[in-house]
């Protein structure tokens, strides 16, 4: 899946493949989806730091991410 520069990826609804399409999240899509399924929706993008292996990695991609109407 190719995303345009203006597309936002909703971390609460995106598939693991869509999340892996964000360079800063590449390889972590599965863990993000599993975290979301176990703990519920993200309410803030800072919660990505709580996903195993993600601490500080999503910082550069936050302009392309959203939590939507969490």
């Amino acid at each position: 899946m190719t995303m345009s520069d203006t597309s936002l990826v909703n971390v609460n609804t995106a598939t693991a493949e869509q999340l892996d399409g964000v360079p800063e999240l590449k390889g972590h899509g599965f863990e993000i989806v599993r975290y979301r399924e176990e703990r519920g929706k993200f309410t803030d993008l800072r919660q990505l730091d709580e996903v195993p292996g993600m601490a500080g990695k999503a910082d550069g991609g936050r302009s392309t991410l959203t939590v939507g109407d969490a």
Side-chain angles (χ1 to χ4, degrees):
M1 177 176 165
T2 303
M3 306 212 180
S4 70
D5 292 335
T6 58
S7 294
L8 288 178
V9 177
N10 185 327
V11 296
N12 286 318
T13 59
T15 64
E17 180 182 72
Q18 290 168 325
L19 292 165
D20 281 337
V22 176
E24 293 81 5
L25 305 182
K26 186 151 185 77
H28 296 283
F30 174 79
E31 287 293 334
I32 294 168
V33 170
R34 186 170 75 172
Y35 182 94
R36 180 178 73 205
E37 289 172 349
E38 290 176 356
R39 302 196 183 191
K41 289 185 174 185
F42 291 91
T43 57
D44 190 290
L45 291 174
R46 289 178 293 200
Q47 288 175 289
L48 286 171
D49 287 341
E50 298 172 16
V51 176
M54 283 296 302
K57 291 185 180 177
D59 293 346
R62 294 209 172 131
S63 63
T64 61
L65 303 172
T66 183
V67 294
D69 294 330

